[in-house]
Amino acid sequence: MDLLLQGGTLIDAAGRRRGDVLVRDGRIAAIGPDIREASGAQTVDCRGKLVSAGFVDLHVHFREPGQGYKETIRTGSLAAAHGGYTTVCAMPNLDPVPDSPGTLALEQEIIDRDACVEVLPYAAITLGRRGLEPVDFAVLKGRCVAFSDDGSGVQRDDMMLAAMTAAAREDVILAAHCEDNTLLRGGYIHDGRYAAAHGHRGICSESEWGQIRRDLALAEQTRCRYHVCHISCAESVELIRQAKARGVRVTCETGPHYLTLCEDDLQEDGRFKMNPPLRRAEDRQALVEGLRDGTIDAIATDHAPHSAEEKARGLAGSAMGVVGLETAFPVLYTDLVLSGKVSLERVVEALTSGPRAAFRLPGGLRPGEAADLTVIDPDAAWTVDPADFLSMGRATPFAGKAVRSRIILTLKDGEPVWKA
């Protein structure tokens, strides 16, 4: 089906301009101020709407195979489409762990059967995600988007060095969940004011930035392509900023919740529990500044669904992780763009071309690219209600939040995968 998205405001890192987008045979055939040669195309009125390249999320948990009671690739990809995402990268903390061609094939079979957007699987860095022996990067590199032991940091320095050396040789990306287990001490929220006032065990920021510092030194030594997952504190931003200035091949992401919330927003509810935790207001501000100046390459949701029972045990007892695909853009638009903290162009860049560049993914708002497109109503006003989610996960710190903007159309290869 040919489509003509007509009269919208096209938005990317370069700025905003009024224009039409002609979609033909699943690709962007033309972009211009007034496209007339669109015989037979179905017209979509986009006046007053924003038109962007489809969003990309480098960090989601779709739970299949192994934990389909939390989320499936089908429900997760539907949630992604609902949120304007056309490409997502699925983390490897699965059962079985995707650490071999055979185990990756099990996940890929489900993706091929059930996904309504592009789902790119990660492989693990170490066999079984146990941190003891690197996977065979050469065998796996054509079957996955990158390598990560997400959910756990690689604890041994010699193991990370070996993994980075092999990854550099194969020119693949290591995406690290940075967490020093020796510094956790049973913590489950940030080791700050809220934890002290309410008798909770805290996780110190050094458990994150200390391992980032180690990894940056190893990445500089090996010339590995290194990506830091879900950074949450000011020290992490500054370490990565300095490493980039030195020429280290590093990229990084943070999440919408770290950019818009902090420990002062915590409630005694499992929907505020994630890893890493919400940290100080000063950390949030440092992350916003890192987004503004380009230190942070991508915004990734770390969409991590759990069952209602697993999230109903308060801060101390609930599972780590919150959902985010269906609220990401409205929350960012409301709290960062409308407040004047970050430009719309920069937010869109961090959701589109930023993650694509970090992981060398094709696509964009250009003729010839796949017609992966997101149409946004910036004036829509609504209140986040998890009952409306397409994800099986319902735990979000943004429940009840009044937001502006709504995704009204998501196209994958020119076909609608979500329409309001």
Side-chain angles (χ1 to χ4, degrees), residues 11 293 395 416:
I11 177 75
D293 70 16

Side-chain angles (χ1 to χ4, degrees), residues 244-276:
K244 286 188 170 190
R246 296 196 307 273
V248 179
R249 302 174 75 191
V250 58
T251 56
C252 70
E253 68 189 49
T254 193
H257 39 289
Y258 303 120
L259 290 163
T260 61
L261 300 172
C262 68
E263 65 173 343
D264 300 333
D265 299 296
L266 286 171
Q267 298 178 26
E268 294 295 313
D269 191 311
R271 65 191 177 93
F272 289 88
K273 186 178 182 181
M274 69 286 290
N275 191 23

